[in-house]
Amino acid sequence: MKWLVTGGAGFIGSNFVFYLMDQYPEDQIVCVDSLTYAGNLETLESVMEDPRFSFAKVDIADRKAIYALFEQEKPDVVVNFAAETHVDRSVMDPGVFLRTNVLGTGVLMDASRQYGVKRYHQVSTDEVYGDLPLDRPDLFFTEETPIHTSSPYSASKASADLLVQAYHRTFGLPVSISRCSNNYGPYQFPEKLIPLMIANALNDKPLPVYGTGENVRDWLYVTDHCAAIDLIVRKGKEGSVYNIGGHNERTNLEVVKTILHTLDKPESLIHFVTDRPGHDRRYAIDPAKIHRELGWLPTTAFDEGMKKTIRWYLDNRAWWEHIISGDYQNYYSKMYGNR
């Protein structure tokens, strides 16, 4: 089978590429990424020369380039990770999020229709549901929870989800959607909570925590997410939405303290900062449907996953230090400048 994985130089997309190559040695993977600030080709260095893997620097909103790529590669499956994802950035510049997350999704589905893709899978987020109250731990997001977005980012992802469902109903495009809780693990861009706190703690810098740090997130180790998407693509019902959650709820402050304790750093490094506008209070996914229909359950407990994640960032300092310094953006020209 030939997979076209968009956003494959990003955090979850690259981990999905590695997962496929480990699990399915006969499959081919075409990785598409426009290499914006969060796309890092250094992440894919270990597979760049593998004959089963190819990379294309393409913007998913560039219709001409996407159609040319589909004409050349003729993929069986498209998994769309490509998205602008950082909430703070969406508050500053919503237009970028609309272009990539909504228009880019439409371009990919048009190409999927024209070239007979067998499954188009949209990687979405639990943020499309809005948030839950902190004083109701009995409440969870299900696939039937109404969409109620809080930021330009989540609104753009919800818009894309609705577009995907419309293409299934109107055109019969074979689609599926997954909405996942917060991921963590190797290769996450250092502006996100866990890698940012690890990097700052290692450098004895203040750890900025929004508000009082009581906002709650459900954390899922990235490899468990990859396994879930694989199952949905292969066995999930066409047109369906599947929630993917880790049953690992933690406040932001608990996460930060876990990192400090693991690294033997003082809690005095914690620095509370003014909360951002529209900051969702609690996310919590009910993954009963994917367990019931496909047999999926997460296999990585939060404490185990955090130890693995922190160890990875300790062992791969050059990777995230290149990002912080900006050197990673030169890697593409080094790889392809003379080709």
Side-chain angles (χ1 to χ4, degrees):
M1 186 156 69
K2 180 178 280 191
W3 301 73
L4 192 147
V5 179
T6 70
F11 166 42
I12 307 175
S14 62
N15 276 280
F16 189 67
V17 167
F18 300 145
Y19 177 88
L20 291 178
M21 297 191 75
D22 286 341
Q23 296 291 320
Y24 306 106
E26 302 303 316
D27 286 4
Q28 293 177 285
I29 296 96
V30 179
C31 175
V32 178
D33 203 294
S34 62
L35 298 180
T36 58
Y37 78 95
N40 184 359
L41 204 59
E42 283 186 316
T43 300
L44 298 167
E45 187 173 12
S46 64
V47 297
M48 290 298 288
E49 302 301 326
D50 193 305
R52 299 174 294 152
F53 175 86
S54 61
F55 178 82
K57 185 177 184 292
V58 176
D59 181 347
I60 63 168
D62 184 338
R63 186 174 294 271
K64 182 178 180 181
I66 286 294
Y67 274 54
L69 183 65
F70 273 66
E71 174 69 31
Q72 175 182 321
E73 299 292 350
K74 296 181 172 59
D76 299 302
V77 174
V78 174
V79 181
N80 182 26
F81 292 95
E84 298 287 345
T85 64
H86 199 261
V87 175
D88 289 352
R89 287 178 181 264
S90 80
V91 173
M92 292 185 291
D93 188 3
V96 174
F97 286 70
L98 299 178
R99 182 180 185 277
T100 297
N101 299 358
V102 183
L103 297 180
T105 296
V107 169
L108 287 173
M109 288 194 296
D110 285 339
S112 295
R113 287 180 59 215
Q114 179 161 327
Y115 291 95
V117 164
K118 297 173 184 175
R119 175 63 68 93
Y120 173 91
H121 182 77
Q122 179 75 5
V123 180
S124 189
T125 170
D126 59 358
E127 294 192 41
V128 302
Y129 297 124
D131 64 350
L132 296 166
L134 294 175
D135 60 355
R136 289 292 306 276
D138 57 310
L139 295 180
F140 295 88
F141 297 137
T142 73
E143 289 82 0
E144 305 305 317
T145 300
I147 286 174
H148 185 68
T149 60
S150 303
S151 69
Y153 161 62
S154 58
S156 70
K157 292 297 288 184
S159 300
D161 287 3
L162 293 173
L163 193 61
V164 171
Q165 291 174 318
Y167 268 61
H168 175 66
R169 184 163 181 173
T170 303
F171 304 116
L173 184 68
V175 306
S176 49
I177 299 170
S178 58
R179 293 173 179 157
C180 190
S181 57
N182 282 36
N183 278 216
Y184 68 105
Y187 298 109
Q188 190 170 25
F189 198 76
E191 73 180 358
K192 298 292 187 173
L193 177 68
I194 288 177
L196 174 64
M197 298 304 163
I198 293 172
N200 281 17
L202 288 172
N203 290 308
D204 295 311
K205 292 182 178 180
L207 277 59
V209 176
Y210 280 130
T212 60
E214 295 305 308
N215 302 74
V216 173
R217 300 294 181 260
D218 175 21
W219 292 95
L220 181 70
Y221 193 67
V222 65
T223 306
D224 287 333
H225 186 188
C226 294
I229 292 173
D230 180 35
L231 265 178
I232 294 168
V233 168
R234 294 176 184 272
K235 299 181 180 180
K237 182 180 177 182
E238 287 185 11
S240 283
V241 176
Y242 292 90
N243 283 349
I244 308 172
H247 282 309
N248 283 313
E249 288 186 57
R250 299 289 191 281
T251 67
N252 288 346
L253 190 58
E254 286 175 321
V255 172
V256 171
K257 287 183 177 181
T258 296
I259 292 168
L260 289 172
H261 294 166
T262 303
L263 295 174
D264 196 25
K265 297 290 186 176
E267 291 186 9
S268 59
L269 287 174
I270 295 172
H271 176 60
F272 294 103
V273 299
T274 303
D275 211 349
R276 71 176 175 223
H279 196 180
D280 288 335
R281 291 161 293 181
R282 173 176 171 255
Y283 302 150
I285 282 277
D286 178 0
K289 178 180 177 180
I290 190 173
H291 175 58
R292 182 177 65 251
E293 293 189 10
L294 305 180
W296 177 87
L297 283 173
T299 61
T300 308
F302 181 76
D303 290 340
E304 174 195 353
M306 282 297 292
K307 289 178 182 176
K308 290 165 64 174
T309 300
I310 292 171
R311 172 48 54 191
W312 188 89
Y313 281 92
L314 286 170
D315 292 342
N316 293 272
R317 289 188 69 133
W319 181 86
W320 54 267
E321 285 176 344
H322 280 185
I323 293 175
I324 291 172
S325 70
D327 287 346
Y328 78 107
Q329 293 178 325
N330 298 322
Y331 185 77
Y332 182 83
S333 59
K334 292 176 185 174
M335 283 293 296
Y336 291 101
N338 297 320
R339 294 191 181 187

